[in-house]
Every structure is written in C-alpha cells, then in structure tokens.
Amino acid sequence: MKTFAAIDVGSYELRMKIFEFSGKNRMRQIDHVRHRIDLGTDTYRTGKLRYEKVEELCKVLKEYADIMKTYRVDAYKAYGTSAIREMENMSIVLGQIEQRTGIRIDVLSNSEQRFLDYKSIASKGERFDQIIEKSTVIVDIGGGSIQMSLFDNDSLVTTQNIRVGVLRLQEKLNRMNAAPYQMENLINEIAGAQLSVFKKLYLKDREIENIIVVDDYLCWWAASQGRGTAKEGCVDIAQYKEFMEHLRQVSRTESAVELGITEEAASLLFISAVLMNHIVDMVGAKLIWAPGVTLCDGIAYEYAEQQKIVICEHDFEKDILACARTISKRYMGSKKRAETLEKLTLAIFDSMKKIHGLGKRERLYLQIAAILHDCGKYISLVNLGECSYNIIMSTEMIGLSHAEREMVAYIVKFNHDDFIYFEQLSRRSVMEQMSYLTIAKLTAILKIANALDRSHKQKFKDAKITLKDRELILQVDTAEDISLEKGLFADRAEFFEEVYNLRPVIRQRRRF
C-alpha cells in the first residue's frame, strides 16, 4: 500500500488531494483540502505576486506539509499552472517557497497541464471511451485560458489554447468597471472573436455531439445532476439552458447560497457558465458531461501509471500521433511520403536498439518528426528547416511537454539544415546535454531515411535493415533506378557515421 499527495497551485485555489493505492488498479481518494487564494489576478495584471500572497502561500503549504506527515505520505507532487508560469520572478518565488516549506513546486507548461487534465478524464474509463466515439469537444476552462480539444472517431483531431480564462476575464471586467447587466455581453464580445476563429479553422461544418467540460466552477453544478445514477454529471442542452437562464435572473449572492459556494466563486461560476453557453451555441452539441475531475486526479493517475499501480487502457500515444498527422495535413504535408519515412525510420531505429540505447518515448519523437518532416514547405521551400521548426514550436500537441516538442522541432530542422553542435546550440537554448544527444541520434536516422527517398517515389518502402560488423546495411528489392539515392547518400551517411560510428551502406537486389 502506498499513500500519495497531489498538490495543485492553481490560479484561484490551492488544492491538495491524498490518495491511497492498494493492489493493481486500486486508487482511492482519502482526503481533499482546499484553500482559496487568488494568485491569478496579481500575475495576469502585474506579472508578480504581492508580498502578502507569497506569505499566505507559504503558510498554507506548511500546513499541507504537516498534513502529509500525518498521513505518512510516501511521495508527493506539487505543480504550478498559469498563475505561476506567467510570473516574471518565478524562479525567485519558487526558491523562497521551497526554502521555507520544504515543498518543491514544478511548473507545468500549458500542454503538460492539459495532458494531466486529459488523463484525469480518461481515468473514468468506459464512460470516456463511449463519449469520444462520436464527435466531441473537451473544453478545459482554467483561470488563464481555455483548452479546446476536438475528438472524432475515438481520435484526437486538434487541440488549441485560447487565452480567455475566467480569472483573466474577471480582471478585464473589473478594469472596465462593468455593471452586472453588462457582464454577459462583454464576456461574449471578448471571448467570441477567438472562439469563432477556432470554429472557422478547426470545426468548420463538423457536427459536434458532445462536450466534456473540466473546470473548477461549473462542474459544481453539472456533477450534481443525476448523482448516483448511470448519467451522473451528464446534462442535456435544455437543462443547461434552464440553468443559464436561472443564473441571469438571480444575484451572485443568491446563486452562492443556492450552490453552497462563496460569492467570489459564484462570480467566477457565472463567467464560466457564459463561456460554456457561447460554446454550446457555437458547436450545437446535444450533451454536456462534467466528469468532476481536477488536476490533482491527473497528477495522481500519472504517478500510479509510473509506479505500474494502474494500467492505462486509453492509448495516449495514438492521440499524439493523430494530432501530428492533422498538423501535417493542415500544412499540406505529403501523406504517402510521411508514411514511407515513418516505416523507414522506425525500421532503422528498431534494428539499432543495442547501438543507440533509446527507448519507446524517443521512438515516438522520431515517428512524429517523420510525420512533420516537410510541414515548413507550406511557408517556404527555401527555409524549410527553420519554418518547420517554427511551426512545430508554435503548435501544441497534448502529451508532449515544451522540452519534448523542442526536441522534435530540432530533429525536423536538422533533417534539412546543417547540424549545430552542442556548444553553439546551448547559447540559444536551455537544453540539457542528454536531450541534445538524443536529438543527434534521431536526426542521424531521419537524415538517412530521407536520403533513401530523395526522389519522393517510395523506391525503398520495402527496405530490409540489418547490422553486420560496423555497417548498417540498407537492402532494397526493386527494379527501379536508385542512382539518385546512391549519389546523394554520402553527405547524410557521413553524419550518421559521426554519431554512431557505423557506416550505412545501400545494397540493391533487382527484381525483373
């Protein structure tokens, strides 16, 4: 049996959940502690936290540390989200907190945060799988932004971040001294422009059946619907419209009393409800499901996965690859050539396991790089490497951290451009040397796979890869002329040999 604490240093609330793990697939929440602390308003307005906020944060975290000792917690994870992420003096504040409380706060990138939220939803198992069989949008409403993720036929199609979170909107409304009767129209005007762009670019005429909502406000109401039944947390659109109309008619004080929350929370609930109402009208969904999960659930679920306490049934890797293919399609990438490069690069990677010493995660980076190898040509055929790098770095893929996305971007860039050595690259990036070596190894593989298909005619799609002595033999059975591939192979083979001390060799067996 293990005990684990998950701490979420959020924009509006400091939350800790204690979980108990016993046996395979047994994960039970045994305590939930919350403290309302508005970090987001300071950060979004000034970029820093006031002295009083830092003091309050340290005080509460000390209390959390004492609670963890009471439960004899075996391990913990504390994560900061957008309110911490957007602080100008983040490193100084986090250093103070760890010194004074003993609790280390790691800061999640937006894609890492949303992936943990996504994992917390997926932990609901069969219900989640059933819902995403039809066109579904996951609406993850945070203090600083909304993440919109589109699923279709059980696959993630796209995910986009829109900076209209509830605290950010509240701060704007306060600056405008908006009267209560103006709130809904102003929220719709501020958020509507960005949401309509999302619809135009990514939804188009697609019919959306379901919305899955994750937030800290609206879920208080939605999760109570159908409690104790198979439809717990499920709300049809007629029910939601009734609820929205009720919120328009009552004051924030009245809604706070009805729902058993504070007036401040009721104000944020109204903003969240208006955003959701706008999204409902925009996509035309028939059902809303609020699974009632939080970031803490995702943190705990990830820990249980890493410790092999729970076995994940949902294929998150498939979602990442589906998202990469959607990006490639958006930027007019060649589907046939990407499939050929995928097959070649993975065959080379798998044949060299004892040589490169890389694992399943690095294999995924290589596969994504093969899919996105030519995305930059949408912008420029001359600066293909640099444009590809910029597209990948500017496009979120839920499931990849910022550092992982940067690795993929560099693999694609160096596939086209001259390789930059660590001493020079470290001047423009805070990359660790181990990550750099992984980039070098994967780039070398992608380069020779790319060289095998320079004509874009997929002559090597049935290549057989073998290792013999200090040679990597790339054997192809084809009757086609491969003079182009052989002639241009030397340059890329030279870099491969530098990285692996292996000489790649092309051999052809002709078919007549």
Side-chain angles (χ1 to χ4, degrees):
M1 185 176 294
K2 288 190 176 183
T3 310
F4 176 78
I7 301 173
D8 171 16
V9 184
S11 304
Y12 176 77
E13 195 170 65
L14 184 58
R15 185 194 302 256
M16 179 172 71
K17 286 187 177 183
I18 309 289
F19 295 87
E20 186 178 80
F21 301 106
S22 56
K24 292 287 183 183
N25 287 327
R26 294 292 301 274
M27 172 174 148
R28 184 170 70 95
Q29 180 184 314
I30 57 177
D31 203 353
H32 183 189
V33 187
R34 298 158 68 177
H35 177 82
R36 187 260 186 266
I37 177 170
D38 182 0
L39 305 178
T41 300
D42 278 7
T43 299
Y44 304 143
R45 185 175 62 242
T46 67
K48 295 182 180 179
L49 285 183
R50 285 175 289 153
Y51 169 82
E52 296 81 9
K53 293 289 185 187
V54 177
E55 288 296 304
E56 184 181 357
L57 187 54
C58 288
K59 176 178 176 293
V60 178
L61 285 172
K62 279 183 181 177
E63 293 172 0
Y64 283 9
D66 291 339
I67 293 170
M68 285 194 282
K69 287 177 185 175
T70 303
Y71 279 105
R72 298 182 180 178
V73 163
D74 296 296
Y76 81 91
K77 264 293 182 183
Y79 284 126
T81 55
S82 64
I84 302 293
R85 187 166 62 238
E86 295 186 28
M87 282 177 9
E88 294 172 2
N89 59 342
M90 179 181 69
S91 298
I92 293 172
V93 172
L94 293 184
Q96 286 181 23
I97 291 169
E98 186 171 4
Q99 176 74 25
R100 294 172 60 182
T101 69
I103 292 178
R104 174 186 170 85
I105 299 173
D106 294 315
V107 181
L108 295 171
S109 67
N110 181 68
S111 55
E112 289 172 312
Q113 175 190 342
R114 306 305 180 168
F115 189 49
L116 286 176
D117 283 338
Y118 174 29
K119 280 193 170 184
S120 69
I121 305 168
S123 70
K124 293 295 182 178
E126 190 176 332
R127 172 71 68 83
F128 173 68
D129 292 333
Q130 286 173 350
I131 285 181
I132 64 169
E133 284 176 0
K134 298 178 180 178
S135 292
T136 300
V137 173
I138 295 180
V139 181
D140 187 353
I141 304 174
S145 63
I146 297 175
Q147 192 79 18
M148 302 275 286
S149 303
L150 173 62
F151 281 81
D152 201 2
N153 294 324
D154 197 29
S155 292
L156 179 62
V157 176
T158 190
T159 182
Q160 296 294 322
N161 189 250
I162 303 168
R163 289 169 69 86
V164 286
V166 288
L167 276 177
R168 204 184 295 275
L169 281 171
Q170 186 185 58
E171 197 273 323
K172 286 182 179 180
L173 293 169
N174 289 342
R175 272 189 289 155
M176 291 187 284
N177 294 315
Y181 70 88
Q182 296 176 302
M183 293 282 193
E184 184 170 356
N185 284 337
L186 287 172
I187 294 167
N188 284 329
E189 286 186 15
I190 295 169
Q194 294 187 58
L195 289 170
S196 64
V197 170
F198 175 82
K199 176 177 170 59
K200 182 178 179 180
L201 292 178
Y202 304 107
L203 298 185
K204 299 180 181 177
D205 297 325
R206 195 187 300 262
E207 292 185 6
I208 304 298
E209 292 281 329
N210 307 309
I211 294 175
I212 300 175
V213 60
V214 179
D215 83 332
D216 291 328
Y217 319 105
L218 190 59
C219 284
W220 287 332
W221 169 76
S224 67
Q225 304 302 300
R227 184 164 286 161
T229 71
K231 293 188 176 181
E232 184 172 333
C234 289
V235 179
D236 64 39
I237 300 307
Q239 281 178 281
Y240 185 77
K241 289 295 183 180
E242 286 178 18
F243 175 67
M244 188 69 235
E245 187 57 36
H246 180 68
L247 288 181
R248 292 187 184 109
Q249 302 300 324
V250 299
S251 67
R252 301 293 85 85
T253 304
E254 290 172 308
S255 62
V257 172
E258 288 175 2
L259 295 168
I261 58 179
T262 65
E263 282 193 42
E264 286 177 294
S267 296
L268 295 172
L269 166 68
F270 182 76
I271 295 172
S272 188
V274 172
L275 284 170
M276 179 54 63
N277 191 59
H278 190 102
I279 292 167
V280 164
D281 291 340
M282 180 180 79
V283 305
K286 298 172 184 175
L287 179 77
I288 298 172
W289 177 45
V293 294
T294 66
L295 181 63
C296 287
D297 297 291
I299 296 169
Y301 189 74
E302 183 174 70
Y303 171 79
E305 271 189 307
Q306 292 168 349
Q307 298 296 312
K308 296 182 169 42
I309 296 168
V310 300
I311 299 170
C312 179
E313 295 181 3
H314 186 76
D315 190 348
F316 294 108
E317 190 173 294
K318 175 186 168 188
D319 291 332
I320 298 169
L321 292 171
C323 197
R325 291 189 178 101
T326 301
I327 295 166
S328 176
K329 184 178 178 181
R330 186 187 313 153
Y331 292 103
M332 308 295 287
S334 169
K335 184 179 177 181
K336 281 189 176 181
R337 184 145 200 271
E339 288 172 352
T340 300
L341 278 185
E342 270 190 83
K343 190 173 181 180
L344 285 169
T345 53
L346 296 182
I348 296 168
F349 182 95
D350 292 341
S351 70
M352 295 176 59
K353 286 180 181 177
K354 292 182 180 179
I355 304 295
H356 56 57
L358 302 176
K360 185 179 178 183
R361 193 66 177 176
E362 291 78 14
R363 189 179 190 271
L364 177 64
Y365 305 154
L366 180 61
Q367 193 170 0
I368 296 168
I371 293 167
L372 298 175
H373 74 282
D374 62 349
C375 62
K377 72 181 183 184
Y378 185 84
I379 299 172
S380 171
L381 294 174
V382 176
N383 299 312
L384 180 54
E386 189 65 32
C387 291
S388 297
Y389 175 89
N390 289 329
I391 285 173
I392 294 167
M393 289 306 295
S394 301
T395 308
E396 282 194 329
M397 285 175 269
I398 284 187
L400 291 187
S401 68
H402 178 86
E404 289 177 315
R405 196 164 78 244
E406 185 178 36
M407 289 172 71
V408 171
Y410 272 124
I411 294 164
V412 174
K413 174 180 168 61
F414 295 143
N415 175 54
H416 301 288
D417 299 344
D418 291 337
F419 196 81
I420 300 175
Y421 292 102
F422 182 73
E423 291 71 20
Q424 184 181 351
L425 186 63
S426 59
R427 295 175 199 153
R428 63 168 82 170
S429 172
V430 289
M431 185 177 295
E432 296 178 354
Q433 191 164 5
M434 285 301 294
S435 297
Y436 171 81
L437 291 174
T438 299
I439 291 170
K441 290 176 180 180
L442 298 180
T443 300
I445 292 174
L446 185 58
K447 272 180 174 287
I448 62 166
N450 197 29
L452 295 176
D453 193 34
R454 290 301 294 271
S455 66
H456 294 205
K457 292 182 179 179
Q458 293 82 51
K459 300 175 189 176
F460 278 69
K461 60 184 176 183
D462 295 319
K464 182 181 177 183
I465 318 294
T466 55
L467 276 169
K468 188 175 181 181
D469 298 327
R470 298 307 300 172
E471 288 186 338
L472 181 76
I473 300 167
L474 309 160
Q475 183 174 294
V476 58
D477 293 341
T478 181
E480 294 192 54
D481 183 1
I482 60 169
S483 301
L484 175 66
E485 285 76 14
K486 282 185 173 181
L488 299 176
F489 190 67
D491 289 344
R492 288 171 177 261
E494 186 179 337
F495 180 70
F496 184 92
E497 192 171 356
E498 179 183 351
V499 172
Y500 290 108
N501 198 27
L502 280 175
R503 183 184 296 276
V505 178
I506 296 177
R507 290 186 183 169
Q508 180 181 15
R509 281 175 52 188
R510 291 183 177 275
R511 286 181 178 175
F512 297 99

